[in-house]
Amino acid sequence: MRKTLGLLLILLSIQISAQTFSLEQLNGFNKLTMDEFKKEMKQQKFKFYDRTEGLGFLLTEYEAPDYTSKIGKFEYKEEKSEDRIEFEFRDKKEYDQYLKLILAAGYKETQKGKIITKEPYIDYYKNKEHIRLILPKAGESIPYTIIVFK
């Protein structure tokens, strides 16, 4: 009971701190079609930011009304298991809250490294569920990113 209450308070504090999403919401966005995702972002009052079509994927991004966060949905044409949600935000406090939620949900740290653009990352797994937290580059204070893989 106490653990559940603590997790609920953390969830509520993340929801109050900014226009952000719970881990369950981010994971749920992976299950939506692109059209459903677009409708959901409009309901959340996020504004269209950009659309990128690359070799084998489509990325659609939306920005929060206060410009403090951005969310994107990657859809891959061939390898659907690569689909993912990427949520970018500017607050270390929010990053720490997400980390607490990830660990409380039973995810285990599995790997550290740097992505191609040199930002450090930490991967977390629970069963077959995969979350990646990306920190700002050395000497920079933003952005923080959470990627929820399908």
Side-chain angles (χ1 to χ4, degrees), residues 4-63:
T4 305
L5 185 58
L7 187 59
L8 181 61
L9 289 174
I10 292 171
L11 249 176
L12 289 173
S13 68
I14 284 180
Q15 291 294 346
I16 292 168
S17 69
Q19 177 77 39
T20 58
F21 305 102
S22 70
L23 292 176
E24 291 79 16
Q25 284 177 300
L26 292 171
N27 198 19
F29 294 151
N30 271 326
K31 296 177 178 123
L32 300 177
T33 65
M34 191 61 85
D35 286 338
E36 292 168 333
F37 177 72
K38 290 174 184 179
K39 287 177 188 172
E40 179 65 27
M41 290 304 102
K42 286 179 185 174
Q43 287 179 346
Q44 297 286 338
K45 307 275 192 266
F46 272 59
K47 299 173 191 162
F48 178 76
Y49 179 77
D50 194 17
R51 178 186 160 127
T52 305
E53 197 161 346
L55 294 174
F57 74 89
L58 174 65
L59 166 63
T60 304
E61 295 176 287
Y62 288 85
E63 192 166 47

Side-chain angles (χ1 to χ4, degrees), residues 87-101:
F87 180 60
E88 184 179 291
F89 50 95
R90 301 178 181 273
D91 192 328
K92 169 78 165 101
K93 187 168 142 184
E94 192 171 357
Y95 171 88
D96 292 339
Q97 291 172 329
Y98 271 119
L99 180 57
K100 284 180 187 176
L101 282 175

